[in-house]
Amino acid sequence: MQGDHNVRISYWKAWRSRQIALDFAKGSSGASFNLIPDYLKQLVQANPGTKTALHTEFEDGVGQRFKYLFISIGACIVGYRYLRKVVIVDGSHLRGKYAGCLLSACAQDGNYQVYPLANAIVDGENDKAWEWFLENLLEVVPQSEDLVFVSDCHSSIYYAIAKVYPLARHCACVLHLQRNIKTHFKNKHLGYMVGKAARAYKRYNIMTSNVAESWNAVLREAREFPIKPLVEFIRDKLMQWFSTRRATTCISFDTLTPRVAEIVAANFDLGGWIWRDKSVFGKVRVESLVSHFYTLENLLVAYDMDILPVTDSAPPPVPLEIHTDDVVTDANVELIPPTTRRPPGRPTKSRILSRGEIRMKPHRKKHICSRCKASGHNKATCKMPI
């Protein structure tokens, strides 16, 4: 304001003005909750197979108060059948007026790209919220002994996976394990040994929760939106990804996905093998040595379905239940915002670290004096005689 209009205002006045502008552009944060039931109807109607769940709490004299929301787009559910059964789960804090957390479950496609499966908006990363999220995820990701979860070291995730997915395996992020070791034992060498031990027997190439954290980074700006624009942002981003990746994949004429084909070629060069007509020693085809999850055919099918936008026309009656503590009511009910509020103070833009995780300090390049070639000062303050 001072630079453009020569008007001095306080930081908080500027912040409140920004919030008013955001409400004008995206809608009121409180009123947005009341739009969710109709939006979910339209979303299911436009994208068949989509799974949604809305959990509320009844409060005397107030009505149905929002508690949890779960969404998984139908195209993602179908596409997951053609991906490896490794699911990365993570949570990130919302920065809107009513705070809360965004829980996510992601997979990785055969071209090593992030493949979001489901999202939920809850009151926080606690045992009940994670358990509710995974119970709804069961309809998207069936329980299996071949299923593997990867997450950070949050205790609520450990509790929920053990209760909802007792047959699945659960792996902790290697980076979080290393940071925990460094924090508790004050020994960097032990953290290095933990990383080496974790990679000694490599079941999958997914050793960290970076896949889910990358998806959270994509939603960084939208995490301060009201709830309906946030959900619509997720749907729109997935629609763009599916369209772009499907068009890009159709260009390739190889049997393997582009990324895997590069890795296979690099391994052949590194090992000094004879690669003639894409076969090993002219006998065994290379494609037969690679899992079918990495084939171009599987990648195309994973993105085969379209994700369509939500129309503003009145939707036909679609079955949608709102689960409360005692009863199941019709979706045509007025929703009250949750009781959670954003804590006072300036909202943080950086990711809140998990328990035991430490923030790595960025490497700062030392300034070198152009006159004496020493660090710590510049040419103007150099004491070297001219």
Side-chain angles (χ1 to χ4, degrees), residues 3-292:
D4 296 340
H5 305 286
N6 197 24
V7 176
R8 285 180 173 271
I9 61 174
S10 65
Y11 172 83
W12 286 111
K13 181 175 288 187
W15 178 262
R16 288 194 297 270
S17 300
R18 179 182 179 276
Q19 290 298 108
I20 293 174
L22 184 63
D23 288 346
F24 181 79
K26 301 295 182 180
S28 170
S29 298
S32 185
F33 286 94
N34 200 35
L35 302 176
I36 283 296
D38 283 339
Y39 176 83
L40 294 182
K41 288 181 180 180
Q42 298 169 4
L43 182 66
V44 173
Q45 178 66 23
N47 298 274
T50 297
K51 303 294 183 183
T52 63
L54 186 60
H55 183 74
T56 66
E57 288 182 335
F58 181 77
E59 186 174 335
D60 292 335
V62 177
Q64 300 289 349
R65 191 177 291 278
F66 176 88
K67 185 69 174 178
Y68 304 141
L69 171 64
F70 174 91
I71 292 179
S72 181
I73 305 296
C76 299
I77 298 175
V78 174
Y80 170 73
R81 304 170 188 170
Y82 304 92
L83 307 181
R84 289 175 304 156
K85 302 305 176 277
V86 182
V87 178
I88 306 94
V89 294
D90 192 30
S92 59
H93 292 269
L94 299 176
R95 301 190 301 268
K97 179 179 179 180
Y98 294 96
C101 278
L102 178 70
L103 307 184
S104 59
C106 299
Q108 191 180 67
D109 65 19
N111 202 33
Y112 293 171
Q113 299 173 120
V114 179
Y115 195 95
L117 294 175
N119 287 100
I121 298 174
V122 298
D123 54 0
E125 282 199 82
N126 50 64
D127 292 356
K128 291 184 178 179
W130 271 110
E131 182 181 349
W132 185 87
F133 174 64
L134 293 182
E135 285 176 348
N136 285 278
L137 190 66
L138 268 174
E139 299 185 30
V140 180
V141 181
Q143 184 157 206
S144 170
E145 293 183 353
D146 297 330
L147 178 63
V148 177
F149 282 95
V150 181
S151 73
D152 58 22
C153 299
H154 201 289
S155 59
S156 295
I157 301 179
Y158 279 72
Y159 164 80
I161 291 179
K163 184 174 182 179
V164 181
Y165 285 91
L167 299 180
R169 294 172 174 84
H170 184 195
C171 302
C173 171
V174 173
L175 296 180
H176 285 82
L177 288 177
Q178 290 178 293
R179 290 165 183 167
N180 283 342
I181 294 294
K182 293 178 183 179
T183 302
H184 295 297
F185 295 97
K186 309 297 182 182
N187 190 321
K188 295 182 179 180
H189 184 65
L190 286 178
Y192 170 78
M193 295 178 64
V194 169
K196 293 288 288 184
R199 293 176 173 87
Y201 176 70
K202 195 170 180 182
R203 181 180 180 89
Y204 295 105
N205 70 314
I206 304 177
M207 306 291 289
T208 68
S209 58
N210 289 347
V211 172
E213 291 180 3
S214 297
W215 172 239
N216 291 334
V218 172
L219 305 179
R220 180 180 181 181
E221 177 187 354
R223 293 209 305 267
E224 61 179 310
F225 291 174
I227 184 170
K228 181 185 174 183
L230 169 60
V231 176
E232 176 61 16
F233 184 92
I234 294 174
R235 185 211 59 79
D236 183 69
K237 181 62 67 175
L238 290 175
M239 180 180 68
Q240 296 177 28
W241 281 9
F242 268 60
S243 177
T244 302
R245 294 175 181 179
R246 181 167 56 245
T248 304
T249 306
C250 290
I251 300 176
S252 177
F253 297 98
D254 206 334
T255 305
L256 303 177
T257 63
R259 177 61 181 143
V260 173
E262 293 177 2
I263 296 175
V264 171
N267 289 338
F268 266 89
D269 295 338
L270 183 64
W273 288 19
I274 300 176
W275 191 359
R276 182 183 301 130
D277 191 27
K278 295 185 179 180
S279 61
V280 182
F281 302 113
K283 297 179 181 181
V284 181
R285 296 288 297 179
V286 174
E287 292 81 357
S288 64
L289 304 176
V290 180
S291 171
H292 66 280

Side-chain angles (χ1 to χ4, degrees), residues 75 78-79 82 115 242 296-305:
V78 174
Y82 304 92
Y115 195 95
F242 268 60
L296 199 64
E297 180 182 1
N298 268 39
L299 186 64
L300 282 169
V301 178
Y303 292 102
D304 183 58
M305 289 186 62

Side-chain angles (χ1 to χ4, degrees), residues 320-352:
L320 175 66
E321 295 179 344
I322 297 181
H323 297 268
T324 64
D325 292 336
D326 302 318
V327 297
V328 177
T329 61
D330 182 71
N332 298 319
V333 65
E334 184 176 357
L335 276 186
I336 309 299
T339 55
T340 57
R341 290 290 189 275
R342 182 180 60 81
R346 181 177 181 176
T348 178
K349 291 289 185 179
S350 58
R351 185 175 67 87
I352 298 178

